[in-house]
Amino acid sequence: MIQTDLSDVPQRVSTGDLPSLSRVGRLITDAHERYASNDDGIVADYIPALAEADPSWFGISLVGVNGSRHAVGDVDVAFSIQSISKAFMFALMCERYGREELVARIGVNNTGLPFDSVMAVELNDGRPLNPMVNAGAIGTTALVPGENIDERWTIVREGLSAFAGRPLEMSEEVYESETRTNDRNRAIARLVYSYGRMAVDPAEAVEVYTRQCSLMVTADDLAVMGATLADGGVNPITGQRVVSNEASSDTLAVMASCGMYERSGEWLFEIGTPAKSGVSGGIVSIAPGKGATGLFSPRLDFAGNSVRGQHAAAYISCALGFNMFASSPHAREKSSLAH
Ligand code: DON
């Protein structure tokens, strides 16, 4: 458990509305101040380009479904989206093929194992089970239609850009660094393929997936992307419908059960939101019907989740009523309470 001390933060329950604009602004500034000096965790280096991140970076951005925006800290620093792309790719493929197809081909359960686990594939007869880990995400990206890699890549880039509300660009540096070091992902894709569970060349699927992970985003972008899922698939900034209500809620459900890797249960228990993290230090935490927070700070815990991001998300969830499970008794007449 990340053990965030919130004993001095009054819990707000989910009401369907964010608090007033000035209060939201103050609370996310508080969240930033509270955790900016936390130096726990380490910056990822298994993809060499990620090791260049400044560990002191820390940004928080919040976007409401009404288009309201608040930001504090390093919200304009660009970083590679990495695993956070998995959630939005799942939404795009749910939209295209329907939930049954995704459940049948990939699955919607947590493996309880690390994001790059080979054993999880073996244990489940080659079915990835979880679309938020590498096997399931490569399997999801393998579903993108197209005659060749570039056609599929265009669909991925345009789809993820629609969530962000602006054209996202790939970092050549991150892409090349990951391409040089992603033998494990190639092995996982080939293993899934060997079970007859991938319809395209696994090397091509990994190629598109690696480009997808190398798209550059900011904490602001993550907040807009998350707010689009919170808003039933409509981007609250551009007004564009990106995916259906159903694809949004299916994605939020998978994020809730699988988005924080083997810490997903603890996250839901402690923070109570659908969320997704990535190894470059980003987290998107969503309050369905209200909005989303994009958090960014590169120091990670053992599972690959930003440490400051988790603390700040816990604070925001508690103080702004993001926790889906928080409730309090409905106000009743005294007489009805007596019975
Ligand atoms: O495939 C990989 O290993 C990376 N492109 C993404 C992994 C990731 O972000 C997992 N995060 N916690």
Side-chain angles (χ1 to χ4, degrees):
M1 292 274 280
I2 194 86
Q3 300 281 11
T4 309
D5 178 13
L6 299 170
S7 51
D8 58 327
V9 185
Q11 168 106 58
R12 276 184 69 93
V13 301
S14 176
T15 60
D17 290 311
L18 290 172
S20 67
L21 288 182
S22 59
R23 192 167 159 74
V24 174
R26 199 170 65 248
L27 288 170
I28 70 160
T29 303
D30 285 353
H32 194 273
E33 273 172 23
R34 282 173 78 108
Y35 305 111
S37 58
N38 182 314
D39 286 334
D40 293 343
I42 50 168
V43 176
D45 60 4
Y46 78 98
I47 299 171
L50 300 187
E52 289 164 25
D54 179 344
S56 73
W57 280 331
F58 187 24
I60 307 174
S61 177
L62 191 144
V63 171
V65 292
N66 60 0
S68 59
R69 302 183 82 150
H70 296 274
V72 56
D74 299 307
V75 290
D76 297 324
V77 172
F79 54 95
S80 51
I81 189 168
Q82 298 298 341
S83 279
I84 299 171
S85 63
K86 294 166 178 168
F88 298 94
M89 285 306 299
F90 181 82
L92 291 169
M93 292 304 107
C94 262
E95 174 76 5
R96 193 171 281 265
Y97 297 107
R99 64 192 325 215
E100 290 78 14
E101 189 76 9
L102 269 287
V103 171
R105 284 182 179 270
I106 311 289
V108 289
N109 272 315
N110 201 313
T111 57
L113 290 166
F115 65 82
D116 58 353
S117 173
V118 172
M119 203 187 351
V121 179
E122 281 293 299
L123 287 173
N124 294 292
D125 197 29
R127 183 160 167 261
L129 215 62
N130 174 349
M132 302 292 120
V133 296
N134 293 7
I138 296 167
T140 303
T141 297
L143 298 175
V144 175
E147 292 295 312
N148 53 44
I149 289 176
D150 286 337
E151 279 185 24
R152 282 182 244 145
W153 168 234
T154 300
I155 291 175
V156 170
R157 194 170 48 77
E158 289 180 353
L160 296 178
S161 296
F163 273 110
R166 71 175 186 95
L168 299 178
E169 301 292 337
M170 190 188 84
S171 159
E172 288 291 340
E173 188 201 350
V174 174
Y175 164 76
E176 276 164 24
S177 182
E178 184 158 347
T179 298
R180 276 198 306 276
T181 52
N182 67 355
D183 300 295
R184 198 173 175 90
N185 283 345
R186 291 171 201 271
I188 287 171
R190 190 148 281 283
L191 185 60
V192 173
Y193 182 79
S194 77
Y195 278 96
R197 294 190 183 272
M198 194 179 285
V200 301
D201 176 349
E204 293 195 2
V206 172
E207 169 65 24
V208 179
Y209 165 82
T210 307
R211 294 185 192 182
Q212 160 195 324
C213 290
S214 307
L215 281 172
M216 299 300 277
V217 292
T218 63
D220 259 343
D221 291 325
L222 292 184
V224 176
M225 295 175 87
T228 302
L229 291 178
D231 195 27
V234 175
N235 184 315
I237 305 300
T238 64
Q240 182 188 351
R241 177 167 282 287
V242 183
V243 292
S244 63
N245 293 0
E246 292 73 24
S248 297
S249 60
D250 288 345
T251 304
L252 291 170
V254 174
M255 292 171 84
S257 62
C258 307
M260 303 299 283
Y261 305 108
E262 59 270 46
R263 290 209 58 250
S264 298
E266 288 172 3
W267 171 279
L268 210 52
F269 188 74
E270 199 181 3
I271 299 173
T273 60
K276 185 75 199 83
S277 67
V279 280
S280 46
I283 298 178
V284 59
S285 170
I286 300 174
K290 291 184 188 172
T293 316
L295 307 113
F296 168 59
S297 196
R299 288 189 203 265
L300 310 178
D301 69 7
F302 75 93
N305 303 315
S306 167
V307 174
R308 285 183 195 165
Q310 289 179 82
H311 283 300
Y315 178 88
I316 288 166
S317 180
C318 180
L320 272 81
F322 264 39
N323 188 329
M324 295 187 304
F325 306 106
S327 61
S328 62
H330 181 65
R332 292 178 182 84
E333 296 290 329
K334 277 198 173 135
S335 58
S336 70
L337 276 177
H339 294 288

